[in-house]
């Protein structure tokens, strides 16, 4: 009998998870160092490393974690100093 091909997405690897964490840390650090930055300007600087979807997910994560505000496409660091 023919084997059915799986239509589910393959499991995320450890390397992919670590890469996503590192990318999130780099973007958070950039916002922290700048204090505030235009959302578009920051994305222009990282677009060769992350897709727009990934970038938006990272920004949403940072906003949800109350490290950053995003008002009228202006990102502002509110998370305090790094630990």
């Amino acid at each position: 009998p023919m084997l059915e091909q799986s239509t589910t997405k393959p499991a995320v690897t450890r390397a992919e998870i670590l890469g996503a964490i590192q990318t999130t840390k780099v973007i958070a650090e950039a916002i922290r160092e700048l204090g505030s930055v235009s959302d578009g300007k920051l994305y222009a600087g990282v677009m060769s490393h992350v897709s727009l979807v990934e970038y938006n997910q990272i920004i949403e994560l940072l906003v949800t974690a109350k490290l950053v505000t995003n008002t009228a496409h202006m990102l502002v660091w509110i998370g305090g100093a790094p630990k």
Side-chain angles (χ1 to χ4, degrees):
M2 290 183 61
L3 294 177
E4 241 183 80
Q5 287 189 343
S6 175
T7 57
T8 60
K9 191 174 180 180
V12 178
T13 66
R14 175 179 167 81
E16 289 171 325
I17 292 170
L18 293 175
I21 291 169
Q22 183 60 31
T23 301
T24 302
K25 287 172 67 174
V26 167
I27 290 174
E29 181 65 15
I31 299 168
R32 188 189 68 78
E33 285 183 9
L34 293 167
S36 64
V37 62
S38 158
D39 190 29
K41 183 175 181 177
L42 182 61
Y43 179 65
V46 300
M47 66 190 292
S48 63
H49 303 284
V50 295
S51 72
L52 182 57
V53 169
E54 293 166 332
Y55 173 81
N56 284 332
Q57 289 172 336
I58 290 169
I59 297 304
E60 185 178 329
L61 176 72
L62 295 173
V63 169
T64 300
K66 299 194 183 327
L67 295 173
V68 171
T69 60
N70 186 0
T71 306
H73 300 287
M74 181 60 67
L75 303 171
V76 178
W77 182 261
I78 58 170
K83 293 181 180 181

